[in-house]
Amino acid sequence: MLSNKTNKGLTYADAGVDIDAGNKAVELMKDSVKATYRPEVLGDLGGFGGLFSLMNSKLKKPILVSGTDGVGTKLRLAIMMGKHDTVGQDCVAMSINDVLVQGAEPLFFLDYIAVGKLDPVQVATIVKGVANACKESGCALLGGETAEMAGFYAKDDYDLAGFGVGIVDRDRVITGEHIKAGDVLVGLPSTGVHSNGFSLVRKIVLERQNMKLDQYVDELGMTIGECLLTPTRLYPKPCLPIIQNFDVKGMVHITGGGFYENIPRVLPDGVGVEIDVTSWPQLPIFGLLQQWGNVDKKEMYRTFNMGIGMIMIVDAKDADAVLQNLADRNEKAYVIGKVVNSDVPVTLQGGVFNA
């Protein structure tokens, strides 16, 4: 016989889901979300779906480009530090940068936050980071979902993912198919580790080095936690003017898999790239991670962005003009390599790679 210790009627809140807290979170994030709206956005926050009009598109053959991603285990550091205002940018950047490499202008973004226990202020802080990143990227935060999943996530845990959509004219889609030997690789700096490789980062920092996240590191000029939570760089602002004014043959967002896995995705058969790893300033965090974890140099370039977060492949005759365009807008960029006839997709040169 089933035990019935109480006759009290159960509520959703008794099961760990607070609807009132969810409503409060929506109110706290409303202004941040509305600040991202483009003229194409229809309706208001709170509908079952986000509405976005393409009626005024001036493109002859408009193509929508979509991408989705999450922040990954970098969130564990944010949770440990109680710092939630930067991971929203990571979430946006990981999808929007992927959309950008197809030549697409970001249009809108949707986020998904799953929590163990809904804290309205915490969720609003996360969403404000998402909204600020959307605004910087020129896209609307069109909608999202906050799921309180009691008993599935621990009380203080959460996950964060998103979905972005951009638009490009069919004739301007960047595919990489016209890349040829002699083309030049222009690299744009990263802000640090971005949002990939954090399972290895955590193993090195928290387990191998047994470091506290608030430990100050002289070489970094900040605590190790502050450095690692530096958000993923958003590349639409520096790159869109180049895409619109030059023939960009290929673009590579250096994410998980580093140089060795991402660059081959845009190369046609019969060509590879030679990259001089001494051609851009090295960020201290990567040297420290390599040293602390005794990580092989090739493994570093297979896992991390190593200071270059975005690569544009252009004709050699356009390289100087591309660099000048970026410099005129105070954007740093470096010629980091060239395309060659080769069956080896990626060859790294410089320092230990010449040994």
Side-chain angles (χ1 to χ4, degrees):
M1 182 176 181
L2 294 176
S3 173
N4 186 10
K5 295 181 180 180
T6 176
N7 291 323
K8 176 187 174 184
L10 292 175
T11 66
Y12 210 2
D14 292 327
V17 179
D18 190 337
I19 295 175
D20 291 334
N23 292 334
K24 183 178 180 180
V26 172
E27 284 300 315
L28 290 174
M29 69 179 71
K30 187 172 290 186
D31 289 344
S32 296
V33 173
K34 286 186 174 181
T36 72
Y37 283 2
R38 295 168 50 122
E40 300 96 330
V41 175
L42 307 177
D44 203 353
L45 186 68
F48 285 95
L51 305 177
F52 193 97
S53 173
L54 295 177
M55 293 297 292
N56 295 325
S57 173
K58 297 179 181 179
L59 302 184
K60 295 179 182 179
K61 300 176 182 178
I63 299 292
L64 295 179
V65 183
S66 61
T68 186
D69 209 337
V71 180
T73 62
K74 184 175 185 175
L75 290 176
R76 176 56 58 202
L77 303 185
I79 292 167
M80 291 173 67
M81 295 175 65
K83 181 174 171 59
H84 312 288
D85 58 341
T86 61
V87 292
Q89 177 168 323
D90 289 299
C91 185
V92 174
M94 294 305 290
S95 293
I96 291 301
N97 288 342
D98 280 355
V99 166
L100 180 70
V101 301
Q102 306 296 310
E105 174 193 353
L107 292 179
F108 59 83
F109 185 82
L110 297 96
D111 62 6
Y112 172 81
I113 306 171
V115 302
K117 178 64 177 176
L118 201 154
D119 178 339
V121 174
Q122 181 191 71
V123 169
T125 300
I126 296 169
V127 173
K128 185 176 181 180
V130 173
N132 288 343
C134 285
K135 192 170 183 180
E136 183 178 334
S137 302
C139 66
L141 179 51
L142 194 59
E145 168 71 5
T146 301
E148 189 171 21
M149 300 173 66
F152 191 86
Y153 290 97
K155 175 178 175 291
D156 296 324
D157 282 355
Y158 65 90
D159 198 5
L160 175 62
F163 177 91
V165 173
I167 192 168
V168 61
D169 199 304
R170 179 67 183 86
D171 296 332
R172 298 285 292 175
V173 175
I174 298 174
T175 63
E177 61 185 316
H178 298 301
I179 293 173
K180 68 181 191 309
D183 290 340
V184 171
L185 279 67
V186 175
L188 277 72
S190 70
T191 51
V193 183
H194 283 182
S195 298
N196 294 106
F198 271 84
S199 293
L200 178 56
V201 168
R202 291 185 299 112
K203 192 168 190 66
I204 292 171
V205 173
L206 301 179
E207 296 182 27
R208 177 70 65 88
Q209 293 298 114
N210 197 28
M211 296 178 72
K212 302 296 184 183
L213 293 175
D214 60 359
Q215 182 173 328
Y216 188 87
V217 180
D218 290 336
E219 295 93 331
L220 302 175
M222 62 183 77
T223 68
I224 184 63
E226 288 172 324
C227 178
L228 293 176
L229 279 192
T230 301
T232 306
R233 185 178 178 190
L234 299 158
Y235 288 100
K237 189 175 289 185
C239 291
L240 279 173
I242 303 299
I243 293 169
Q244 294 161 357
N245 292 289
F246 296 91
D247 179 18
V248 179
K249 297 183 178 184
M251 291 182 67
V252 182
H253 182 203
I254 305 295
T255 57
F259 288 70
Y260 287 105
E261 302 299 325
N262 286 295
I263 294 175
R265 296 165 69 177
V266 304
L267 297 177
D269 293 339
V271 300
V273 299
E274 293 179 350
I275 295 176
D276 180 0
V277 301
T278 67
S279 59
W280 67 89
Q282 302 298 299
L283 297 177
I285 183 60
F286 296 111
L288 290 172
L289 289 172
Q290 182 184 2
Q291 174 189 334
W292 292 339
N294 191 27
V295 183
D296 180 78
K297 194 77 171 276
K298 186 171 182 178
E299 182 71 10
M300 292 293 294
Y301 283 85
R302 189 171 176 264
T303 305
F304 302 113
N305 67 64
M306 299 303 290
I308 293 292
M310 183 69 74
I311 296 173
M312 295 184 285
I313 302 176
V314 299
D315 196 287
K317 66 179 175 57
D318 293 330
D320 287 343
V322 167
L323 291 171
Q324 188 61 55
N325 181 293
L326 289 161
D328 289 344
R329 294 183 285 119
N330 296 315
E331 299 287 356
K332 293 181 179 179
Y334 310 93
V335 172
I336 66 170
K338 61 184 178 181
V339 180
V340 297
N341 290 316
S342 176
D343 293 328
V344 180
V346 179
T347 301
L348 301 185
Q349 302 172 332
V352 69
F353 293 105
N354 284 339

